[in-house]
Amino acid sequence: MITSVVRQALRTRGDEPAVLCHTGDHRTTRRELSGFRLRPADRLLDLDTHRLGDPVEVPGVGGEGEPEAVGLLVVVAASLTDLRRCLTTATLLPPAVHLVVAVADTPGNQGPLVPAPPGIDEWHGLQELRVRRVGQRGWLCELYFPNSVETAAALDHVLSGTGGRRRGPRSVPLGAVHGREGALWRSGDVSATGVSATGPIPLRRVTPVADLVLRVDDGSGLPEWQDPAVAHLDVATTGSGSWESLTSADAPAVSVPGARPGPSEAGRPVRVGEPDPVTTIAPIDERAVNPCGFTKKAGGPMGDLTVRGGKAVVREGQKVLFAVPDDGTVTDLDLGHTRYLRGIRVDWSGHSGPAAAVRAVASLAAGGVPLVSGSVPAWASGVGTELASLLVSVSAADLRDPLTREEHSVRLRRAALRTHGQIARWRELAVRAGIPVPPEPRMTVMLCTRRPEMVGFALAQIARQRGVRFEVVLALHGFPASLPQVRSAIGAFAATGVQITVYEAPADQVFGAVLNEAADRASGTVIAKWDDDDWYGPDHLADMALARTYSGADLVGITQDLVYLEELDLTVWQSYKSEKPSPDVVGSTIVIDRSVLEEVGGFRPLPRAIDSQLLFAVRRNGGRIYRTHGLGYLLRRAGQGHTWAADLGYFLRRNTKQWSGWRPSALLEGAVEPLGAARTVEYSGGHR
């Protein structure tokens, strides 16, 4: 299909030159573009090897008296991960009249390659748009602009539509990159600029187009930087770090907890040349490499990340699922090939280089793939101490238990995305370069309760949240803050230093209106709903923030995987599918952008069914809802007092596993005592 579309486009493109680009696995992409009879001015370009900062020159285009655009520009990507990575390089490509974008294959959870047009009249000149399926899961998108279109911007809009309406946060600070692997460091960011090795940084009117320059050294050395107005940092390519350089006598030693010497080190002390080896690893594009599509089946076989035929591969038995390229990139398509596995054993020997091995392991972890490993070699300290510890914390046999397997997956994805995600990495680079960055987004935890006796319990759950900036808006529905137990709980919470705003709502005010009044008092850009009687793990808000980033959804939440049935003193695990778009999430876990809440008109002024009505409104407004894992939350189900009317039989009929007593996931990290002088909330049984 791709070949026939490109052949027809070459025939009809007119007199202008054509540029045919490919990115990702050459066995797929280069084959699709081979065998064409090209004109002398046409170009065949490998976007993965082109050095950022070098112009893409097309004879007869862009010069004085010459057309600014090419007649045809084709980008063939092996996966969406590859297409996102090449966005940065695409800023160097000329405008095009006819743009063909093809992704050879996508995982089963991915939607079509449908662009999201920009605002105002930027695409007023679009004459034709066609989207077609390629094979079973590939996609092809054609856009025709008689007066041409900026190639990188059009690619960005294609990817934006594929990922949903909300783009998600971009990396800060504004970056410029130089070098062959520059796109690895700033994947999916059309605002990043390729620059020369020495500078100066181009100006947009009177302002530099970047605040920080990252130069990637391929081993040949870099000249002196000549633009004092813009800070720069230098890093090495994934292939430039050799085993010899790691073990040289001139490099300072570094240790990793539980580390052992690698097989290629010949017993010599392991050394690296950076104080923090984590920052030398090219980051992971969290919008492409993430847990989306994770499956909970624990009965599958184990796979291995190992070496076969001199190449790092992931295999199951003798079947190779995918080969890891020399730069260590793992794509969304590769992750899709591993989802049926119970887990993957990591073999640290024989990889093409330390950085490539670390990137591959960190990417699999970021994708939620359950990984097990022997002790981590010291040369792999770039994975970070937390991830290194997690890799040795469970065995392949442990992963046979579905709950243990998912708990391990969640811990791995947290550590990998927070350590190696592109957003986190660029904030770290900014700190190294002394460049200020905006604060992390602030969440507003919104708690509305009619029960004064539960205020201390609920605030204790909120107080132990970590890894996010947040404030609390507490709506007291029908009782004052002056009640002794309420006043005591609020005082104890305020002593933690977290800002809390109290709103005393009249008893006769309808529930939906109370929530709107509480939202009006929020100063955060993101609002998180909270219930007064459920248990939340200390990473609940941080997990919601992470899911919001990698899913691109307008609203995120979880399902009631774990439920404590108070009347029966029983905990049930329902094991719903997670890490997927879903129309339904638990209302007490809803996390929504404040702007989206305003767009849908806020909460409906109703006494009940408020959460389901909000979910309906978001979907009617074209928004996306995403369901992440539910192991950091335990729903309490008492006999009465719930706005959600479901009897105990509902939970008993649908459970996968059950235990006597109060038995949360290990990710909940136990219970906490209520704040202030509130009564202790009783529970029976033990916890893990």
Side-chain angles (χ1 to χ4, degrees), residues 111 151 169 225 240 279 330 476 511 569 606:
T151 296
W225 180 247
S240 61
T279 61
V330 174
L476 306 177
F511 182 43
D569 189 23
L606 299 171

Side-chain angles (χ1 to χ4, degrees), residues 2-8 10 20 31-39:
I2 297 175
T3 301
S4 61
V5 170
V6 175
R7 181 178 291 111
Q8 179 63 24
L10 285 170
L20 310 184
R31 183 183 65 236
E32 297 287 358
L33 298 179
S34 62
F36 294 121
R37 187 173 298 176
L38 301 179
R39 299 172 186 171

Side-chain angles (χ1 to χ4, degrees), residues 19 21 43 45 47 50 54-58 61 89 91-94:
V19 178
C21 309
R43 289 208 56 183
L45 184 64
L47 294 176
H50 187 83
D54 293 350
V56 175
E57 296 179 349
V58 181
V61 175
T89 311
T91 59
L92 306 170
L93 297 174

Side-chain angles (χ1 to χ4, degrees), residues 450-492:
R450 282 187 176 273
R451 298 181 283 192
E453 71 275 11
M454 297 304 296
V455 172
F457 173 83
L459 290 179
Q461 305 292 317
I462 301 172
R464 69 171 181 158
Q465 296 301 300
R466 62 196 179 200
V468 289
R469 295 174 67 235
F470 68 95
E471 64 169 10
V472 175
V473 174
L474 173 61
L476 306 177
H477 197 181
F479 60 92
S482 59
L483 291 177
Q485 60 185 344
V486 177
R487 183 175 66 249
S488 176
I490 293 172

Side-chain angles (χ1 to χ4, degrees), residues 451 533-534 563-568 635-642 644 646-648 651:
R451 298 181 283 192
D533 63 344
D534 298 331
V563 182
Y564 176 58
L565 304 177
E566 198 167 53
E567 285 185 295
L568 303 178
L635 175 72
R636 182 202 304 264
R637 194 68 191 183
Q640 57 185 358
H642 297 278
W644 175 31
D647 60 20
L648 296 180
F651 302 100

Side-chain angles (χ1 to χ4, degrees), residues 168-511:
R170 289 195 186 272
S171 301
V172 293
L174 198 60
V177 192
H178 169 82
R180 277 199 171 79
E181 287 188 357
L184 289 181
W185 288 83
R186 200 73 179 203
S187 177
D189 190 356
V190 75
S191 66
T193 306
V195 296
S196 67
T198 59
I201 295 296
L203 299 179
R204 185 173 290 116
R205 296 185 179 176
V206 296
T207 307
V209 298
D211 300 314
L212 174 62
V213 174
L214 188 75
R215 302 192 301 174
V216 184
D217 186 0
D218 60 7
S220 59
L222 291 168
E224 184 177 350
W225 180 247
Q226 297 179 5
D227 191 341
V230 180
H232 78 285
L233 293 172
D234 295 340
V235 294
T237 61
T238 53
S240 61
S242 66
W243 303 115
E244 290 75 15
S245 66
L246 285 173
T247 56
S248 68
D250 298 329
V254 65
S255 63
V256 176
R260 61 174 173 79
S264 61
E265 296 156 23
R268 292 185 289 175
V270 181
R271 302 174 183 274
V272 298
E274 280 283 338
D276 183 3
V278 170
T279 61
T280 69
I281 306 299
I284 297 165
D285 179 5
E286 52 267 90
R287 285 302 303 272
V289 178
N290 55 53
C292 295
F294 173 79
T295 60
K296 299 191 176 189
K297 297 178 181 178
M302 288 294 294
D304 293 276
L305 172 61
T306 185
V307 175
R308 183 170 180 175
K311 293 282 292 183
V313 299
V314 170
R315 61 179 175 83
E316 184 238 314
Q318 297 303 311
K319 177 185 177 182
V320 174
L321 302 182
F322 66 90
V324 180
D326 290 342
D327 61 13
T329 294
V330 174
T331 69
D332 59 320
L333 189 60
D334 297 332
L335 290 174
H337 292 155
T338 70
R339 292 302 185 196
Y340 74 98
L341 297 174
R342 181 183 2 135
I344 292 178
R345 291 177 288 251
V346 178
D347 176 7
W348 292 99
S349 62
H351 292 272
S352 59
V358 167
R359 281 199 83 224
V361 170
S363 297
L364 289 168
V369 178
L371 303 177
V372 298
S373 169
S375 55
V376 179
W379 56 258
S381 59
V383 297
T385 54
E386 183 182 3
L387 190 51
S389 298
L390 288 171
L391 289 170
V392 300
S393 64
V394 301
S395 67
D398 294 330
L399 299 181
R400 291 193 178 97
D401 177 72
L403 186 55
T404 299
R405 177 179 178 269
E406 188 176 0
E407 288 169 344
H408 184 54
S409 167
V410 171
R411 290 188 174 113
L412 287 172
R413 68 184 75 156
R414 283 175 181 167
L417 290 169
R418 294 173 189 171
T419 303
H420 294 282
Q422 183 170 278
I423 292 173
R425 179 73 81 254
W426 275 85
R427 293 183 78 93
E428 293 166 354
L429 294 174
V431 170
R432 283 179 53 190
I435 298 172
V437 293
E440 298 279 0
R442 185 193 300 274
M443 278 191 177
T444 296
V445 179
M446 206 165 68
L447 168 63
C448 177
T449 178
R450 282 187 176 273
R451 298 181 283 192
E453 71 275 11
M454 297 304 296
V455 172
F457 173 83
L459 290 179
Q461 305 292 317
I462 301 172
R464 69 171 181 158
Q465 296 301 300
R466 62 196 179 200
V468 289
R469 295 174 67 235
F470 68 95
E471 64 169 10
V472 175
V473 174
L474 173 61
L476 306 177
H477 197 181
F479 60 92
S482 59
L483 291 177
Q485 60 185 344
V486 177
R487 183 175 66 249
S488 176
I490 293 172
F493 183 87
T496 66
V498 177
Q499 178 180 329
I500 180 169
T501 301
V502 180
Y503 164 56
E504 297 181 2
D508 59 353
Q509 189 173 31
V510 71
F511 182 43

